[in-house]
Amino acid sequence: MNKTLKIAHREYVVNVRRKSFLIGIFLMPVFIAGVSILPTLLAKKAIEGVGETRTVAIVDLTGQLYPELKKMLEEQRGGPKYIVEEVKATGANLEERQTELNERVQKRQLDTYVVIGKKVVTSHIQYEDSPDHKIQCYSRNVTDFGQSERINGAVSRALIDLRLRNMGIDPAVSTKASWNINIERLEVKKGEAKKAQGLTNIFGAFAFVMLLFFGLQISGQTLMQSVIEEKNSRIMEVLLSSVSPKELMRGKILGLGAVGLTMIVLWAAVGYTAARLRDFDVASLPNVGYMLVFFLLGYAFFGTLMATVGSVCNSEKEAQQLLMPIMLSLVFPLMVWFYIAQRPDSTFSRVLSVIPFTVPMIMMLRIAIQTPAASQIGISIIVMLISIWVCLRASTRVFRTGILMYGKRPGLKEILRWLRYR
Amino acid sequence: MEPIVCVKAVTKRFGDVSAVRELSLDVAPGTIYGLLGPNGAGKTTTLRMILGIFLPDEGTISVFNGQGIEDAKSRIGYLPEERGLYRKMKVGDVLRFFCEIKGVDKITSARRVDYWLDKVGLWDWKEKKVEELSRGMQQKVQFIATVIHEPDLLVLDEPFSGMDPVNTAQMKDIVVEQKNAGRTIILSTHIMEQAEKLCDEICLINKGRAVVKGPLSQLKRSYGTDSVHVQYSGDGSFIKQMPGVRSVDDYGNYIELKLSRDADASALLREICTKVAVTRFEVVEPSLNRIFIEKVSQADE
């Protein structure tokens, strides 16, 4: 045990002093904040469009809506400033006008134009698929949701008001009738209701998954590289004349695990502090605790696998191939995380919560979104512990033989044979 | 005295290839034991089995009277054939690490690192990274790593290969010093002259099998003092045909004659003197090289 700790200690000291470690410590929180917070902020800014100018042309074939519409768009508060113009057209020259308008859109003189069908005001048929009954909005950028929402709102408001007036009702009445209808979403957690944080909640949970992913990936890779390096520089033999392969492997796993833990604790501390400042609910202390637990479990599992891969390879290039399935299983939760976040209790989520390859990240995500029953967390932890035990036993055998094999990389069949060695 | 290392009928196979076959050897305490043989004879494999890095397929190996190999590792120092040091670490740190994983405490380790670096003239390099050292210096560092924890048994695989003569001499002195301090040393080499100078006992192996083994002095005696070195000027081609001469080896500067058992060396000298100018005539024990080549070619026939 003492020797194992000595090996671990050296790994720790050497790796913590590395420049790449220090850079990683500082850059990763910035990066994760980037992928989880920045898109939301940017999207919000884009949707609001404050300080921008939009030019809109209206082709009002009813001849009744334009003045109202222009007023509405130009007087709108918040959002971009609208410059509205009218383009006169009749049924006969509509096509010609539209060609001109398309050209102006193309030349960026115009952002959007709206064609209001001749019969929309009086239309009483529920669905009529003819241009006369339609309002068509042409834009250069149809995915600019904030823009189309505002135009939609203005057009329908103007139209509804007109129709009401035609029916002899004061539009102010309708405005009054629709005052203050706000639906607030609340989340019930541990028997208590809380204001739901919606998107921020999900992105917070995603940040945990990202931290785990990078933590596992970086520390696992480092472990593998360190094994390959020792193998290539023949330090292995000197080490093996001092310690047993088991002590060596466990020492390395332990040492680099401590490095990984240092890294992830620092990240978590930065993340937690940042989240506190913005009253970010997801980053609660229990969640941070869970993350450390699942990091350690995940690392013991993936680290053992990666150390084994390193032991049978002569170069990192050679190792990439064997590493592929492991990396894929690490990336997999990142591909399904959104679904799991929506349906944390689905069968799919539960199945992934008992597969050792996906447990750490999936369970972490579920806990962050909606803490599952303690029994479920317990089961996945037990699954991990058993897998780690099996993996460690098998790996030690492969490791023992692999580290002294140079030359051609052994095939899977040969590796399986090593498992049976004394 | 009980042998320190006892290898009994050991066989080691890698796939279909037998690297070592039914090899037995005993190493007496306080001696230098030479494991000799050409490249690929199975020397490194044998050493690795003694160290417990490989397990033999057949036979048994006991070290220090059957002490478990993992416990015994602290009492063994190993110099592998291909040197390995952490290139990015400082010289002092590497040595301290290697000393500590042998179970030596921190303070003692630090003290010994200083002692040894000073002794081999690398004191100024203590805080330098290993990769900044020259090859020769790295070899010295590796050598220190082998002896720093004061092991009872030293296992040296090709200890002098690739060293310049100055370093070789310095390292050889350390080996002898270790022996005089009562330590047991097993070394492998394919350079017979080295073994001849250092070893008390040897084992010649070829293709995984022991060809000859025993105390060096005894071996040489059993091969007889039937070799003669002659240095001369003139045409000595007639010597080959002289009665009593079994074979001639021409080394350029001198020739080595093997005589038949009943040959009279002094009569031979008198006769040679009549035809060429002899500058040296020496009755010598057969060189290890000769014994080895003879034995190996016998086995190959």
Side-chain angles (χ1 to χ4, degrees), chain A residues 107-146:
Chain A
K107 285 181 187 156
R108 296 181 178 257
Q109 294 163 347
L110 203 59
D111 290 304
T112 305
Y113 70 91
V114 182
V115 179
I116 301 169
K118 194 159 57 183
K119 295 177 182 165
V120 288
V121 181
T122 52
S123 181
H124 55 269
I125 305 164
Q126 275 209 325
Y127 182 74
E128 177 67 62
D129 192 22
S130 118
D132 282 352
H133 293 270
K134 272 188 190 162
I135 299 165
Q136 284 162 315
C137 182
Y138 299 80
S139 296
R140 194 179 328 112
N141 180 4
V142 289
T143 51
D144 187 347
F145 298 111

Side-chain angles (χ1 to χ4, degrees), chain A residues 33-47:
Chain A
V35 285
S36 51
I37 298 169
L38 209 59
T40 348
L41 289 179
L42 283 177
K44 212 172 149 206
K45 192 170 180 306
I47 287 171

